[in-house]
Structures are given as structure tokens and as C-alpha cells.
Amino acid sequence: MKKSLCVTAWVIAVMFDAGFADPAVAQGIRNEGAAISMTSGYLVCQGGFANNAGTFASGTGTVVFTGSEPKTLSGADELVFYNLVVDASGGNVTIPAGTRVTVTGSNFSPGGKLIIMSDAVDNSGSLIYSGSGTPTGDVTYSRVMPAGSSWHYVSSPVTLTSSPTGSFYSWDEVAGDWDTGTTATPASGRGYALQTTGNSVSFTGTVALSSSVSATSPYTTDYGTGYPAEPG
């Protein structure tokens, strides 16, 4: 019978060796003060992963999230996985605002089910991939923006595979003005003026593996605000 793993002891070593014929399977993991360590092999998690206290050392192991229920990754400190796989046919896996996740191995598959949330302009979830592989599947970043205006200045943190909701305008460096037409699919790392309803926008696409940024120098400003004049 599969059970949730809740560890509260001072030290616990959970070893998942590659030589095992079957992976270890848990409905969920919640660490409340123990030291959990993987050596290698696979841990299949059918629920959330919470490292509220204590430590988690991933070794060279692979954590796989599967099952139809939605799941949440959370931790008082940064969650570091070696290999991380999200089942593309399973439920969403959410990184909530304030949670930091890093993947360091060569096998990273968001599976189109990994969602990074924010709940304020200065509080967002974080996902860093520092491995040597090429991630497979999309991730979604849901960005909260300041309320009170239909215009915002944004940049996509992913290489988009679908167009976000709203009208995106790029800056024309030569003309010194905003383009009159909208951009269908904004480029990663480039700033845009976004006109939209509400105060959130979601970017869905593959993990950006380069840190290139398209710099612009807006010449026209709204006097009194110091920001570029809104398109139109």
C-alpha cells in the first residue's frame, strides 16, 4: 500500500539505489525536520513535495511526479532536484509564490504541467535549470502585475509556444516610437508594452536556455511619470 511519507525525526536517510528493480512510490512527501537523502534511482511521487524544515539531498536521483491530482512544491529553503520529471498525462505541479526550485541534472521534463505562480509584483515562485540537458515540455509562468492600469511593461521568461492574452507592442528603436501593430508571439528576454484587462498574464513555453536580452532605449516619455508613452 502506498502511503504519504511524513518525516519528523532528527535524521533519516532514505536511499533509492539504481539497482532496485522497482522505484520507490509515495503518495506525497512532507519533511518537518529530518535529513532526507537520495543516492540515485527513482522516487515516484503521486502527491505534493513539502520540505518545511530539515534538508533534502537529491544525489543523482530522479523524482517523478505522476497521478491525476494537482500537486504543490514548497519549502522553507530552496528545493534542489537532480533530475525532475512531471508526467504529461498527470495533474499540474505548482511552484507557489515564495518557493524556489532548482534542477541540476540532465533530465528535466516539465511535461507541460509545471506552473510557476506569483501573488504580488515583488513575490514570485522561482525555477532555475542549471543542467546540461534540453528540457522537454512547456512550463507556465503566471505573473501578477500592478492593479489600476490596463497598460504594463513585461517580458516573457520562457520561449513561448502559444500567445499570451493581451496586446503586446514592441519598441521601434529607429523610429523612436512604439510599433503601431501588435506582436503575436513576444520574444523571450525582450520588453513589451502590454495592454490587457485584469492584473495578471500567463506565459507558456519551453525553458529559455540563454540569457540574451534585447535592450531598448525609449525616447518618448510621459511627462510626470518618466515612463515611455503608451502606444497610440
Side-chain angles (χ1 to χ4, degrees), residues 52-85:
N52 299 325
T55 60
F56 169 68
S58 59
T60 58
T62 300
V63 177
V64 181
F65 288 94
T66 187
S68 59
E69 295 299 320
K71 307 160 191 67
T72 299
L73 307 182
S74 62
D77 296 314
E78 180 183 21
L79 279 176
V80 180
F81 297 96
Y82 185 71
N83 291 326
L84 179 63
V85 176

Coordinates of all heavy atoms in Angstrom, one line a residue, residues 52-85:
N52 N 9.3 21.5 4.6 CA 9.0 22.6 5.5 C 10.2 22.9 6.5 O 10.3 24.0 7.0 CB 7.7 22.3 6.3 CG 6.6 22.2 5.4 OD1 6.5 22.8 4.3 ND2 5.6 21.3 5.7
A53 N 10.9 21.9 6.9 CA 12.1 22.0 7.7 C 13.0 20.8 7.5 O 12.6 19.9 6.8 CB 11.6 22.0 9.2
G54 N 14.2 20.9 7.9 CA 15.1 19.8 7.6 C 15.8 20.0 6.3 O 15.8 21.1 5.7
T55 N 16.3 18.9 5.7 CA 17.0 19.0 4.4 C 16.6 17.9 3.5 O 16.1 16.9 3.9 CB 18.6 18.9 4.6 OG1 18.9 17.7 5.2 CG2 19.1 20.1 5.5
F56 N 16.8 18.2 2.2 CA 16.6 17.2 1.2 C 17.8 17.2 0.2 O 18.1 18.2 -0.4 CB 15.3 17.5 0.4 CG 15.2 16.6 -0.9 CD1 15.0 15.2 -0.8 CD2 15.2 17.2 -2.1 CE1 14.9 14.5 -1.9 CE2 15.1 16.4 -3.3 CZ 14.9 15.1 -3.2
A57 N 18.5 16.1 0.1 CA 19.6 15.9 -0.8 C 19.2 15.0 -1.9 O 19.0 13.8 -1.6 CB 20.9 15.5 0.0
S58 N 19.2 15.4 -3.2 CA 18.7 14.6 -4.3 C 19.8 13.6 -4.8 O 19.4 12.8 -5.6 CB 18.2 15.5 -5.4 OG 19.2 16.4 -5.8
G59 N 21.1 13.8 -4.5 CA 22.1 13.0 -5.0 C 22.1 13.0 -6.6 O 22.0 14.1 -7.1
T60 N 22.0 11.9 -7.2 CA 21.9 11.8 -8.7 C 20.6 11.1 -9.0 O 20.4 10.5 -10.1 CB 23.1 11.1 -9.3 OG1 23.2 9.7 -8.8 CG2 24.4 11.8 -9.1
G61 N 19.6 11.2 -8.1 CA 18.3 10.5 -8.3 C 17.4 11.3 -9.2 O 17.6 12.5 -9.5
T62 N 16.3 10.7 -9.5 CA 15.2 11.3 -10.4 C 13.9 11.2 -9.6 O 13.5 10.2 -9.1 CB 15.1 10.5 -11.7 OG1 16.3 10.5 -12.4 CG2 13.9 11.1 -12.5
V63 N 13.3 12.4 -9.4 CA 12.0 12.5 -8.8 C 10.9 12.6 -9.9 O 11.1 13.5 -10.7 CB 11.9 13.6 -7.8 CG1 10.5 13.7 -7.2 CG2 12.9 13.5 -6.7
V64 N 10.0 11.7 -9.9 CA 8.9 11.8 -10.9 C 7.6 12.1 -10.2 O 7.2 11.4 -9.3 CB 8.8 10.4 -11.6 CG1 7.7 10.4 -12.7 CG2 10.2 10.0 -12.2
F65 N 6.9 13.1 -10.8 CA 5.6 13.4 -10.3 C 4.5 12.9 -11.2 O 4.5 13.2 -12.4 CB 5.4 14.9 -10.1 CG 6.2 15.5 -8.9 CD1 7.4 16.0 -9.1 CD2 5.6 15.4 -7.7 CE1 8.2 16.5 -8.0 CE2 6.4 15.9 -6.6 CZ 7.6 16.5 -6.8
T66 N 3.6 12.1 -10.7 CA 2.6 11.4 -11.5 C 1.3 11.4 -10.8 O 1.2 11.8 -9.6 CB 3.0 10.0 -11.9 OG1 2.1 9.4 -12.9 CG2 3.1 9.1 -10.7
G67 N 0.2 11.0 -11.5 CA -1.1 10.9 -10.8 C -1.9 12.1 -11.3 O -1.4 13.2 -11.6
S68 N -3.2 12.0 -11.2 CA -4.1 13.0 -11.8 C -4.4 14.2 -10.8 O -4.9 15.2 -11.3 CB -5.5 12.3 -12.1 OG -6.1 11.7 -10.9
E69 N -4.1 14.0 -9.6 CA -4.3 15.1 -8.6 C -3.3 16.3 -8.8 O -2.2 16.0 -9.1 CB -4.3 14.6 -7.2 CG -5.4 13.6 -6.8 CD -6.8 14.2 -7.0 OE1 -6.9 15.4 -6.6 OE2 -7.7 13.5 -7.5
P70 N -3.8 17.5 -8.6 CA -2.8 18.6 -8.6 C -1.9 18.6 -7.4 O -2.2 18.1 -6.3 CB -3.7 19.9 -8.5 CG -5.0 19.4 -7.9 CD -5.2 18.0 -8.4
K71 N -0.6 19.1 -7.6 CA 0.4 18.9 -6.6 C 1.1 20.3 -6.4 O 1.1 21.1 -7.3 CB 1.4 17.9 -7.0 CG 0.8 16.5 -7.3 CD 1.7 15.7 -8.2 CE 1.0 14.5 -8.8 NZ 0.0 14.9 -9.8
T72 N 1.7 20.4 -5.2 CA 2.4 21.7 -4.9 C 3.8 21.4 -4.4 O 4.0 20.4 -3.6 CB 1.7 22.5 -3.9 OG1 0.4 22.8 -4.4 CG2 2.4 23.8 -3.5
L73 N 4.8 22.1 -4.9 CA 6.2 22.0 -4.4 C 6.4 23.2 -3.4 O 6.0 24.3 -3.8 CB 7.2 22.1 -5.5 CG 7.0 21.1 -6.7 CD1 8.2 21.3 -7.7 CD2 7.0 19.7 -6.2
S74 N 6.8 22.9 -2.2 CA 7.0 24.0 -1.3 C 8.2 23.7 -0.4 O 8.6 22.6 -0.2 CB 5.8 24.3 -0.5 OG 5.4 23.1 0.3
G75 N 8.8 24.8 0.2 CA 9.9 24.6 1.1 C 10.3 25.9 1.7 O 10.2 26.9 1.1
A76 N 10.8 25.7 3.0 CA 11.3 26.9 3.7 C 12.6 27.4 3.0 O 12.9 28.6 3.0 CB 11.6 26.6 5.2
D77 N 13.4 26.5 2.5 CA 14.6 26.9 1.7 C 14.4 26.4 0.3 O 13.4 25.8 -0.1 CB 15.8 26.2 2.4 CG 16.1 26.8 3.8 OD1 16.0 28.0 3.9 OD2 16.3 26.0 4.7
E78 N 15.4 26.6 -0.5 CA 15.4 26.2 -1.9 C 15.3 24.7 -2.0 O 16.0 24.0 -1.3 CB 16.7 26.7 -2.6 CG 16.8 26.4 -4.0 CD 18.1 26.8 -4.6 OE1 19.1 27.0 -3.9 OE2 18.2 26.9 -5.9
L79 N 14.4 24.3 -2.9 CA 14.3 22.8 -3.3 C 15.2 22.5 -4.4 O 15.0 23.1 -5.5 CB 12.9 22.5 -3.6 CG 11.9 22.2 -2.5 CD1 10.5 22.0 -3.0 CD2 12.3 21.0 -1.6
V80 N 16.2 21.7 -4.3 CA 17.1 21.3 -5.3 C 16.9 19.9 -5.7 O 17.1 18.9 -4.9 CB 18.6 21.5 -4.9 CG1 19.5 21.2 -6.0 CG2 18.8 23.0 -4.5
F81 N 16.5 19.7 -7.0 CA 16.3 18.3 -7.5 C 17.5 18.1 -8.5 O 17.9 19.0 -9.2 CB 15.0 18.2 -8.3 CG 13.8 18.3 -7.4 CD1 13.2 19.6 -7.3 CD2 13.3 17.3 -6.7 CE1 12.0 19.7 -6.5 CE2 12.2 17.4 -5.9 CZ 11.6 18.6 -5.8
Y82 N 17.9 16.8 -8.7 CA 18.9 16.5 -9.7 C 18.1 16.3 -11.0 O 18.2 17.2 -11.9 CB 19.7 15.2 -9.3 CG 20.8 14.9 -10.3 CD1 21.9 15.8 -10.4 CD2 20.7 13.9 -11.2 CE1 22.9 15.5 -11.3 CE2 21.7 13.6 -12.1 CZ 22.8 14.4 -12.2 OH 23.8 14.2 -13.1
N83 N 17.4 15.2 -11.1 CA 16.5 15.1 -12.3 C 15.1 15.2 -11.8 O 14.7 14.7 -10.8 CB 16.7 13.7 -12.9 CG 18.1 13.5 -13.6 OD1 18.6 14.5 -14.2 ND2 18.6 12.3 -13.6
L84 N 14.3 15.9 -12.6 CA 12.9 16.1 -12.3 C 12.0 15.9 -13.5 O 12.2 16.5 -14.6 CB 12.7 17.6 -11.8 CG 11.3 18.0 -11.4 CD1 10.8 17.2 -10.2 CD2 11.2 19.5 -11.1
V85 N 11.0 15.0 -13.3 CA 10.1 14.6 -14.4 C 8.7 14.8 -14.0 O 8.3 14.3 -12.9 CB 10.4 13.2 -14.9 CG1 9.3 12.8 -16.0 CG2 11.8 13.0 -15.4

